[in-house]
């Protein structure tokens, strides 16, 4: 399910994101009820999405978590569209903010990419929010500003840096999606990865005996055996990970290394 951000009223959404004119907290009806606030509503919504996924998100469900009705939330957040924008921007406060080390731009970008990957894995629902239309919130901008700052340490021209931003974020998001899907597959389908592959591999060999002849490039790649590891540290605890997640993380590590090699080549003026 793909969700597009920025569907609410532009003025109201941006005002909430930047806390420009938020309403004062109130106690609601009679009795000493806990005060509501935009931050409390957003925190409850994020916790709900983290635990149960985007499909469980509704104003009523968030209100239930806070012990209030959905109507009580509308004083602070006009609707689900605005709430999604606020949630998305709020969790982006977790993105790394670091000063560049001009002597080790590669190490800084490697660390940034690893931290962003883990951010997406912690909040897999964020991966369902399309990048086609940004939220335009302060934390989203801060994350973007950090990446641009790190890339500037490479000394490359601005025109190229813009395209590298458009390469690195989707690359990390795609890698995180692979990790998140690997974690969810068994629970969502009711079968383990081993059971799934064993059943289908056997059926494929039986039904397509000429598989190797029909797909020689793929078969040849498999026949050559495991690829030599790309230089760099293997993620801690990788051996204990299920095979699909381990493969997704290794693909991320190697792919990132190749991308950074490309940046190094661009810095040196090589084609």
């Amino acid at each position: 399910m793909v969700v597009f951000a920025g569907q609410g009223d532009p003025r109201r959404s941006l005002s909430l994101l930047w806390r420009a004119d938020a309403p004062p907290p109130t106690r609601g009806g009679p009795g000493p009820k806990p005060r509501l606030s935009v931050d409390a509503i957003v925190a409850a919504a994020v916790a709900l999405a983290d635990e149960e996924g985007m499909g469980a998100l509704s104003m009523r469900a968030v209100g239930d978590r806070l012990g209030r009705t959905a109507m009580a939330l509308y004083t602070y957040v006009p609707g689900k569209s605005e709430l999604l924008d606020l949630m998305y921007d709020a969790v982006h406060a977790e993105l790394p903010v670091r000063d560049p080390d001009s002597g080790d731009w590669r190490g800084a970008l490697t660390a940034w990419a690893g931290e962003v990957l883990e951010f997406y894995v912690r909040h897999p629902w964020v991966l369902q929010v399309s990048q086609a239309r940004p939220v335009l919130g302060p934390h989203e901008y801060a994350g973007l500003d950090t990446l641009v700052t790190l890339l500037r340490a490479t000394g490359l021209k601005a025109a190229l840096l813009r395209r590298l931003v458009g390469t690195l974020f989707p690359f990390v998001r795609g890698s995180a999606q692979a990790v998140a899907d690997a974690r969810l597959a068994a629970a969502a389908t009711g079968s383990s990865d081993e059971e799934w592959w064993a059943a289908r591999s056997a059926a494929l060999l039986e039904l397509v005996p000429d598989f190797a002849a029909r797909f020689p490039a793929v078969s040849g790649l498999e026949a050559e055996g495991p690829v030599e590891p790309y230089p760099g540290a293997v993620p801690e605890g990788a051996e204990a990970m299920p095979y699909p997640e381990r493969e997704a993380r290794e693909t991320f590590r190697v792919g990132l290394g190749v991308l950074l090699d490309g940046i190094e080549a661009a810095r040196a003026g090589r084609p």
Side-chain angles (χ1 to χ4, degrees):
M1 177 178 67
V2 176
V3 178
F4 290 93
Q7 298 301 296
D9 175 77
R11 177 63 170 74
R12 184 68 174 128
S13 292
L14 290 172
S15 174
L16 284 167
L17 283 165
W18 293 87
R19 301 298 195 271
D21 51 12
T26 61
R27 289 185 175 274
K33 291 182 180 180
R35 294 187 177 187
L36 280 177
S37 68
V38 172
D39 290 339
I41 293 169
V42 172
V46 168
L48 175 65
D50 285 348
E51 294 170 18
E52 302 182 34
M54 184 77 81
L57 182 66
S58 69
M59 298 295 279
R60 178 177 179 179
V62 175
D64 288 344
R65 284 200 163 228
L66 294 167
R68 308 297 285 268
T69 65
M71 290 302 297
L73 275 56
Y74 289 117
T75 299
Y76 301 85
V77 180
K80 183 177 175 181
S81 293
E82 291 85 357
L83 178 59
L84 177 63
D85 289 356
L86 289 165
M87 293 165 58
Y88 183 88
D89 193 66
V91 294
H92 275 72
E94 299 175 22
L95 288 182
V97 177
R98 60 175 78 245
D99 294 326
D101 181 354
S102 58
D104 186 21
W105 62 266
R106 185 175 186 126
L109 285 172
T110 299
W112 171 87
E115 291 173 24
V116 174
L117 176 79
E118 297 305 331
F119 158 75
Y120 286 129
V121 172
R122 284 195 304 274
H123 305 291
W125 57 270
V126 172
L127 296 167
Q128 294 177 246
V129 181
S130 171
Q131 296 290 282
R133 294 181 178 177
V135 168
L136 304 179
H139 298 305
E140 183 183 44
Y141 269 119
L144 176 60
D145 198 70
T146 292
L147 177 56
V148 173
T149 301
L150 294 177
L151 284 170
R152 281 196 178 278
T154 65
L156 295 173
K157 293 182 179 180
L160 182 54
L161 294 188
R162 289 174 60 89
R163 303 310 171 199
L164 288 175
V165 169
T167 299
L168 286 168
F169 260 124
F171 169 75
V172 178
R173 276 176 62 99
S175 299
Q177 185 74 67
V179 173
D181 288 350
R183 291 186 173 187
L184 292 171
T189 63
S191 62
S192 69
D193 297 313
E194 292 77 10
E195 293 169 339
W196 190 92
W197 278 108
R200 278 155 183 78
S201 295
L204 191 63
L205 288 173
E206 176 187 349
L207 297 171
V208 193
D210 61 341
F211 183 92
R214 292 175 65 179
F215 308 104
V218 173
S219 301
L221 189 62
E222 291 294 322
E224 291 174 16
V227 178
E228 287 296 320
Y230 196 86
V234 175
E236 184 178 350
E239 292 303 320
M241 294 177 185
Y243 176 78
E245 179 175 349
R246 188 168 67 249
E247 283 293 291
R249 287 183 177 275
E250 181 65 4
T251 298
F252 164 73
R253 187 179 69 83
V254 173
L256 178 63
V258 173
L259 282 174
L260 297 183
D261 282 350
I263 293 176
E264 184 62 65
R267 292 179 74 238
R270 299 194 302 270

